[in-house]
Amino acid sequence: MPNSQSNPIVVERNPSESSLSELNVKCWPKWACPPGKYRLKFDAEETCYLLKGKVKAYSKGASASASAPFSDFVEFAAGDLVTIPKGIRCTWDVSVSIDKHYKFEPSSSWASSSS
């Protein structure tokens, strides 16, 4: 199913244990927050795996057009693997406290070392 007109946040529902193991998710840092609304800006791509909680993420980074409508929010919850693109601004409406593992992709400028 094409994903061109949907929210830029990608949600993989219930990824396999082997996929999570391959990504080494259990070694990623953890982050938690109580219910509430949070305005977030992602300066790097983030991949996260929700251990518990439920979120509606309202995207500000996607272009809205009457001729190409898309869902302006995406829901994800415990057991989901979520990829949030670099540069996106969104508001997280957290209805159930979040506990997640996360990792940021390093920017290309960090990849080159000069010593």
Side-chain angles (χ1 to χ4, degrees):
M1 192 187 286
N3 200 19
S4 60
Q5 302 304 326
S6 64
N7 196 293
I9 297 171
V10 177
V11 179
E12 182 182 343
R13 310 270 181 213
N14 299 308
S16 69
E17 208 44 59
S18 61
S19 292
L20 296 174
S21 182
E22 193 175 305
L23 291 168
N24 212 13
V25 166
K26 290 179 181 172
C27 294
W28 296 354
K30 283 177 89 174
W31 182 80
C33 72
K37 289 192 178 179
Y38 303 89
R39 287 185 180 169
L40 304 169
K41 180 179 186 286
F42 292 85
D43 293 324
E45 179 178 287
E46 178 183 329
T47 302
C48 60
Y49 177 70
L50 272 69
L51 300 168
K52 66 179 187 177
K54 187 172 183 179
V55 166
K56 272 187 186 177
Y58 293 86
S59 168
K60 305 261 192 267
S63 63
S65 158
S67 63
F70 66 94
S71 170
D72 67 345
F73 74 89
V74 63
E75 288 187 274
F76 45 94
D80 291 341
L81 185 68
V82 183
T83 304
I84 303 161
K86 176 181 177 176
I88 198 170
R89 292 175 189 267
C90 56
T91 299
W92 281 26
D93 185 356
V94 177
S95 57
V96 178
S97 295
I98 295 292
D99 192 7
K100 69 175 185 171
H101 283 292
Y102 71 95
K103 114 179 145 155
F104 288 107
E105 294 300 327
S107 71
S108 55
S109 61
W110 295 351
S112 62
S113 69
S114 55
S115 27

